[in-house]
Amino acid sequence: GAGVSQTPSNKVTEKGKYVELRCDPISGHTALYWYRQSLGQGPEFLIYFQGTGAADDSGLPNDRFFAVRPEGSVSTLKIQRTERGDSAVYLCASSPGTAAEAFFGQGTRLTVV
Amino acid sequence: KQEVTQIPAALSVPEGENLVLNCSFTDSAIYNLQWFRQDPGKGLTSLLLIQSSQREQTSGRLNASLDKSSGRSTLYIAASQPGDSATYLCAGGPGNQFYFGTGTSLTVIP
């Protein structure tokens, strides 16, 4: 596709449920990033992939959060036992390489009720 | 941990004015820096990237500069237009991740 695609655009889930958020990066981009943005704040880093491997997962807040990128393209962010504090917009970005320009998707707005 | 400050937090100007947005990092060891705009309820749109070997970048009415010694960057917008109204975010980092500021909310009044 022309840009980074994230699905779903909106997700409402009940506290304690499991959710998966999907990111389709720009074709050929090797680097992929996940960020989380709360209202009125700048995006906060979660995890970075270079190819298939998680090169830096230091931003994941706890072990309820996990992300995969099995074939080096599409990535899925997985959140177990969701909590109300997980409510935020989850943003995905991709770039041709580590130091190159990053392009963001439109985000998935997650609401935990 | 890298902290990023953007000043001012909000700015309202009449159409046609030139303006400067500021961004500063507590750790000046920034490999590259990128400026984004974000419209309400939308994702981030890349404006300019300043890579490690560069000091500034220009695109149309936008000019961004980076002073690595002080950890400061500025975004200059010339001849502002109502369509420039948005939140502007700066982000910098070592390459494997970006640290973002909280943004400057810009309103350009027709």
Side-chain angles (χ1 to χ4, degrees):
Chain A
V4 178
S5 176
Q6 292 188 246
T7 53
S9 55
N10 281 283
K11 176 71 177 178
V12 180
T13 191
E14 292 181 348
K15 179 176 177 295
K17 299 290 189 182
Y18 168 82
V19 296
E20 289 189 352
L21 311 179
R22 177 187 169 105
C23 173
D24 281 85
I26 294 171
S27 178
H29 280 193
T30 58
L32 185 146
Y33 309 80
W34 282 99
Y35 284 81
R36 177 168 71 172
Q37 186 175 26
S38 300
L39 192 63
Q41 301 296 312
E44 178 184 24
F45 171 77
L46 295 176
I47 188 169
Y48 157 69
F49 288 90
Q50 181 59 250
T52 60
D56 184 349
D57 64 358
S58 62
L60 294 178
N62 51 60
D63 62 5
R64 295 186 299 105
F65 288 74
F66 189 71
V68 295
R69 195 187 185 198
E71 298 179 356
S73 178
V74 171
S75 177
T76 305
L77 178 66
K78 308 180 181 195
I79 310 174
Q80 298 178 320
R81 303 183 303 280
T82 51
E83 300 177 356
R84 293 195 178 88
D86 299 334
S87 297
V89 175
Y90 289 80
L91 296 165
C92 176
S94 71
S95 72
T98 300
E101 187 175 11
F103 297 89
F104 278 77
Q106 294 298 297
T108 293
R109 181 175 299 277
L110 175 66
T111 303
V112 182
V113 298
Chain B
K1 179 185 173 183
Q2 177 77 272
E3 299 287 341
V4 185
T5 302
Q6 288 192 245
I7 295 173
L11 182 62
S12 183
V13 300
E15 181 177 4
E17 273 204 7
N18 303 325
L19 57 101
V20 175
L21 308 182
N22 297 287
C23 171
S24 63
F25 295 79
T26 52
D27 184 347
S28 60
I30 303 160
Y31 188 75
N32 55 10
L33 183 136
Q34 197 164 350
W35 281 92
F36 298 87
R37 71 174 277 167
Q38 186 171 33
D39 294 281
K42 304 293 185 183
L44 280 64
T45 300
S46 177
L47 297 174
L48 292 165
L49 169 71
I50 303 176
Q51 294 184 302
S52 59
S53 59
Q54 301 169 328
R55 296 187 63 181
E56 68 176 310
Q57 281 287 341
T58 298
S59 176
R61 294 181 294 107
L62 305 180
N63 174 273
S65 63
L66 173 62
D67 180 348
K68 287 191 174 182
S69 64
S70 65
R72 295 179 185 272
S73 177
T74 61
L75 177 66
Y76 176 83
I77 303 177
S80 57
Q81 301 172 358
D84 295 333
S85 298
T87 296
Y88 290 79
L89 293 155
C90 66
N96 59 317
Q97 62 173 280
F98 288 97
Y99 294 95
F100 279 84
T102 54
T104 292
S105 177
L106 173 65
T107 302
V108 181
I109 304 166

